């Protein structure tokens, strides 16, 4: 039985000491905090990724260095399991334990315990593919990660600077290479080719849509979108904005999907560019979230968020499934979180099974796997569509009885190729939305009118310790601090169609408050008051009240 390479581990771990007094937690999307504090975390994640691969018989594990929608000084890292999905939950606990071992010796002891308890055969190979976004702290953190690979003897492939969804794609493509489930060629070019050729097949013979404005959040999505645009050629013209990936401080600053969703505003940089009626969309910092928007003829801003994308896409897929003669055999379902607008949930639940789960694509992904076709989107624009292996098989082998059925079936098969089923993917989702808009001859206006959003407000409250906030019922209710939920309930009762909930963020050091009601003023008022309750309960930062709330 092989042993841990103690000498290499000790020597390299000593180069990456854990800062005292800092606690790291594998949260909603991995470790995420100030990039300047993450050197030791990266080294240890490198070692852990190697062990995860050994545990899974040498399958390739993914490591993505990104802090997605967070501001530029933050960075983060998340692990990707062999099928391209998020790391198995039990290993998140191991990641947190290893990251917090105070010394090299404690780290090695924690590693030995993990190897023993998880029964990891150290003689197995370890394979990892890794990438980073465009953050300035990325290169140094990647160097620490590589030391981790070296320490445990990983055969590592550097996918350089690319988007989170491309990294997820690569993991799945590498692990399925040469099998009957081959996902695509294992390169960024393979990804571009797969998506663009499926898109071209789907829109063949249709009138090309007018150009689409893409806000790239000054992040890595700018590079990927530029490449994709070349692959798409005339089938879809993309006009890229906010592509300043090397300008300090520009990333996610007053642009990008999170800015648009949270502030419910057009990025200021697009104000003089977007014409009434024109479609535009925003990616986030690592291009895994997508939000659409348009201005009406009075110049008013309208947002088409993850809920609207889910409604558009789910209805289209149901139509195709019925059209293919498979309506009785294939069940389409939708997965949302508590942030889903109440109007969207009503619209969808009147037509399809809908499940509500906790925040984090990892939760939505697993819930969506229970449907034959699972459409999952967070309101923040993070989501995708999953086709179960049985459904994919059925689509590939079903014998249609009419030409119309054959056409619908062909479209479904092409959708399985267009959609990045490993994780939410802004570029793949963008192409999916464009396909539906082309088929339906919808502009943003028709799409928007599927249902009318209840006015809502999402605010952040900065508190000394967000961990005192604990939730239940898919994060819709607080169980701690005691008594706070009752106070929220009393407040909510005073608002027509009022709904509000509070939960600690897993990616930022804040507590999030969501509220909706029948008017904008009421939703803002409810959010403000609930934020006030949270602040009073937790002793929030006075310098940030109330400007930070609204
Ligand atoms: C990550 C997760 C998302 C989640 C978001 C916000 O997104 O992948 O599923 O909705 O964080 O999470 P929280 O409210 O816990 O901060 P991203 O795009 O930042 O990776």
């Amino acid at each position: 039985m092989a042993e841990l390479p103690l000498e290499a581990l000790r020597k390299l771990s000593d180069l990456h000491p854990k800062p005292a007094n800092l606690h790291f937690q594998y949260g909603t999307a991995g470790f995420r905090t100030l990039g300047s504090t993450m050197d030791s975390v990266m080294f240890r994640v490198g070692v852990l990724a190697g062990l995860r691969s050994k545990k899974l018989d040498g399958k390739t594990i993914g490591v993505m260095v990104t802090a997605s929608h967070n501001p530029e000084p933050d960075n983060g890292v998340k692990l990707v399991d062999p099928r391209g999905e998020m790391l198995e939950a039990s290993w998140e606990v191991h990641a947190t334990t290893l990251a917090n071992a105070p010394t090299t010796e404690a780290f090695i002891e924690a590693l030995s315990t993990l190897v023993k308890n998880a029964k990891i055969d150290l003689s197995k190979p370890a394979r990892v593919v890794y990438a980073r976004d465009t953050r300035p702290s990325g290169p140094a953190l990647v160097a620490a990660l590589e030391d981790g690979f070296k320490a445990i003897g990983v055969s590592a492939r550097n996918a350089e600077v690319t988007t989170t969804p491309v990294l997820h794609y690569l993991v799945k493509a590498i692990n399925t290479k040469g099998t009957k489930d081959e996902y695509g060629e294992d390169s960024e070019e393979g990804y571009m080719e797969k998506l663009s050729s499926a898109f071209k097949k789907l829109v063949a013979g249709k009138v090309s849509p007018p150009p689409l404005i893409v806000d790239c959040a000054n992040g890595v999505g700018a590079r990927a979108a530029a490449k994709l645009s070349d692959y798409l050629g005339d089938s879809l013209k993309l006009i890229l904005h906010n592509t300043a990936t090397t300008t300090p401080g520009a990333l996610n600053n007053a642009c990008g999907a999170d800015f648009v969703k949270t502030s419910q505003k057009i990025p200021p940089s697009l104000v003089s560019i977007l014409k009434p009626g024109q479609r535009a969309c925003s990616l986030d910092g690592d291009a895994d979230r997508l939000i659409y928007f348009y201005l009406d003829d009075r110049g008013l801003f309208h947002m088409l968020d993850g809920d609207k994308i889910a409604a558009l896409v789910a209805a289209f897929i149901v139509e195709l499934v019925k059209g293919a003669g498979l309506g009785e055999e294939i069940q389409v379902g939708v997965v949302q979180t508590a942030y889903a607008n109440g109007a969207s949930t009503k619209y969808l639940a009147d037509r399809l099974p809908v499940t509500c789960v906790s925040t984090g694509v990892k939760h939505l992904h697993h819930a969506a796997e229970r449907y034959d076709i699972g459409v999952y989107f967070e309101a923040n624009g993070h989501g995708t569509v999953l086709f179960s292996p049985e459904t994919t098989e059925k689509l590939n082998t079903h014998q249609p009885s009419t030409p119309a059925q054959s056409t619908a079936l062909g479209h479904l098969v092409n959708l399985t190729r267009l959609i990045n089923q490993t994780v939410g993917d802004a570029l793949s989702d963008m192409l999916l939305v464009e396909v539906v808009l082309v088929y339906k001859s919808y502009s943003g206006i028709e799409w928007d009118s599927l249902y009318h959003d209840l006015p809502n407000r999402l605010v952040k409250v900065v508190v000394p310790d967000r961990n005192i906030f604990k939730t239940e019922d898919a994060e819709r209710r607080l169980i701690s601090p005691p008594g706070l939920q009752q106070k929220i309930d009393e407040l909510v009762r005073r608002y027509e169609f009022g709904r509000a909930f509070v939960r600690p963020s897993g990616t930022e050091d804040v507590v999030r408050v969501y509220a909706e009601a029948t008017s904008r003023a009421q939703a803002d008022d409810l959010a403000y008051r609930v934020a006030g309750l949270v602040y009073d309960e937790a002793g929030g930062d006075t310098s940030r009240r109330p400007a930070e709330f609204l």
Side-chain angles (χ1 to χ4, degrees), residues 27-29 32 66-70 78 86 164 258 284-286 288-289 337 339 358-362 364 378 380 382 423 475 503-508 510 512:
T28 312
R32 205 174 280 189
T66 178
S68 189
H69 73 277
N70 292 46
K78 55 188 162 193
M86 301 288 193
T164 295
D258 199 57
D284 73 341
D286 62 343
D288 59 8
R289 297 197 206 171
T337 71
Y339 290 112
S358 296
T359 301
V361 276
K362 56 191 178 192
L364 289 102
E378 294 185 291
N380 63 23
H382 206 162
V423 77
E475 303 181 319
R503 59 174 283 278
S505 162
T507 60
E508 294 174 67
V510 297
R512 299 198 198 281

Side-chain angles (χ1 to χ4, degrees), residues 457 491 495 515 520-530 550:
R457 182 61 68 186
L491 252 183
Y495 296 77
R520 154 81 34 241
Q522 294 252 305
D524 285 353
D525 193 60
L526 179 56
Y528 178 82
R529 285 176 195 278
V530 174
L550 291 178

Side-chain angles (χ1 to χ4, degrees), residues 373-517:
I373 301 179
V375 178
Y376 75 80
F377 274 91
E378 294 185 291
N380 63 23
H382 206 162
T384 187
V385 181
L386 302 182
F387 295 77
S388 73
E390 298 72 36
T391 303
T392 310
E393 178 74 20
K394 201 171 279 173
L395 296 178
N396 287 324
T397 53
H398 180 71
Q399 291 301 323
S401 11
T402 63
Q405 283 193 357
S406 168
T407 306
L409 193 63
H411 293 338
L412 281 167
V413 170
N414 281 321
L415 285 184
T416 64
R417 298 180 184 144
L418 178 74
I419 297 168
N420 183 349
Q421 296 182 47
T422 60
V423 77
D425 178 338
L427 294 176
S428 162
D429 291 340
M430 177 187 84
L431 296 182
L432 174 60
V433 166
E434 291 297 314
V435 165
V436 188
L437 296 182
V438 164
Y439 272 78
K440 295 282 179 193
S441 306
Y442 279 176
S443 69
I445 302 164
E446 287 89 20
W447 174 13
D448 200 17
S449 64
L450 290 180
Y451 62 85
H452 294 287
D453 271 326
L454 280 169
N456 60 90
R457 182 61 68 186
L458 178 62
V459 298
K460 300 177 190 181
V461 187
V462 179
V463 297
D465 179 13
R466 72 188 199 272
N467 294 317
I468 64 167
F469 292 84
K470 306 240 181 293
T471 61
E472 63 175 5
D473 187 21
E475 303 181 319
R476 288 174 286 199
R477 298 189 62 78
L478 278 175
I479 47 172
S480 161
L484 182 54
Q485 185 60 50
Q486 285 66 34
K487 289 185 191 159
I488 297 172
D489 290 344
E490 274 163 38
L491 252 183
V492 168
R493 272 197 287 276
R494 295 190 219 149
Y495 296 77
E496 198 186 348
F497 290 104
R499 185 168 75 90
F501 65 89
V502 171
R503 59 174 283 278
S505 162
T507 60
E508 294 174 67
D509 199 7
V510 297
V511 171
R512 299 198 198 281
V513 173
Y514 176 87
E516 64 186 31

Side-chain angles (χ1 to χ4, degrees), residues 82-349:
R83 287 185 302 132
E85 76 280 31
M86 301 288 193
L87 177 70
E88 183 188 297
S90 64
W91 277 63
E92 294 185 0
V93 181
H94 305 323
T96 301
T97 306
L98 292 182
N100 290 300
T103 60
T104 288
E105 282 317 307
F107 171 58
I108 289 176
E109 207 180 304
L111 282 177
S112 308
T113 310
L114 172 59
V115 169
K116 194 165 140 242
N117 292 349
K119 300 193 175 63
I120 299 170
D121 180 350
L122 293 171
S123 64
K124 297 278 179 183
R127 299 187 183 93
V128 174
V129 57
Y130 61 106
R132 67 172 173 92
D133 69 15
T134 52
R135 275 161 214 270
S137 57
L141 293 177
V142 162
L145 182 73
E146 289 169 337
D147 272 357
F149 297 153
K150 219 184 289 167
I152 196 82
V154 169
S155 151
R157 170 172 160 185
N158 188 350
E160 309 284 347
V161 177
T162 193
T163 69
T164 295
V166 168
L167 193 266
H168 284 256
Y169 166 92
L170 286 177
V171 172
K172 187 159 180 172
I174 292 169
N175 285 311
T176 54
K177 206 171 178 168
T179 72
K180 71 170 181 38
D181 301 319
E182 194 153 316
Y183 197 55
E185 194 201 301
D186 60 330
S187 62
E188 197 179 64
E189 290 67 34
Y191 164 93
M192 300 288 170
E193 179 58 40
K194 183 177 177 187
L195 264 56
S196 58
S197 63
F199 179 78
K200 285 179 192 163
K201 281 187 191 146
L202 280 157
V203 298
K206 304 273 177 195
V207 179
S208 285
L212 171 67
I213 290 184
V214 185
D215 156 23
C216 300
N218 295 316
V220 66
R223 303 160 73 127
K227 280 192 192 163
L228 184 64
S229 183
D230 289 345
Y231 277 83
L232 291 169
D234 291 336
S235 63
L236 177 65
K237 183 133 180 35
L238 304 177
I239 304 173
L240 308 184
H241 287 274
N242 296 325
T243 57
T245 54
T246 53
T247 305
L251 178 67
N252 294 325
N253 189 359
C255 60
D258 199 57
F259 170 84
V260 174
K261 174 66 183 162
T262 315
S263 63
Q264 304 182 25
K265 284 192 188 117
I266 177 174
S269 51
L270 295 186
V271 168
S272 61
I273 287 160
L274 190 65
K275 304 279 171 294
Q278 201 173 5
R279 296 158 359 276
C281 64
S282 287
L283 322 178
D284 73 341
D286 62 343
D288 59 8
R289 297 197 206 171
L290 177 73
I291 301 281
Y292 266 71
F293 50 90
Y294 68 96
L295 303 176
D296 64 20
D297 47 17
R298 288 179 300 155
L300 289 178
F301 170 81
H302 295 264
M303 180 169 65
L304 297 148
D305 63 2
D307 299 338
K308 280 266 155 83
I309 296 175
L312 181 79
V313 165
F316 181 63
I317 290 178
V318 167
E319 219 175 284
L320 288 180
V321 167
K322 285 188 185 151
L326 290 165
E328 298 297 313
E329 295 171 50
I330 294 179
Q331 190 193 39
V332 183
V334 178
V335 185
Q336 301 186 308
T337 71
Y339 290 112
N341 194 278
S344 81
T345 310
K346 181 166 182 336
Y347 174 87
L348 285 163

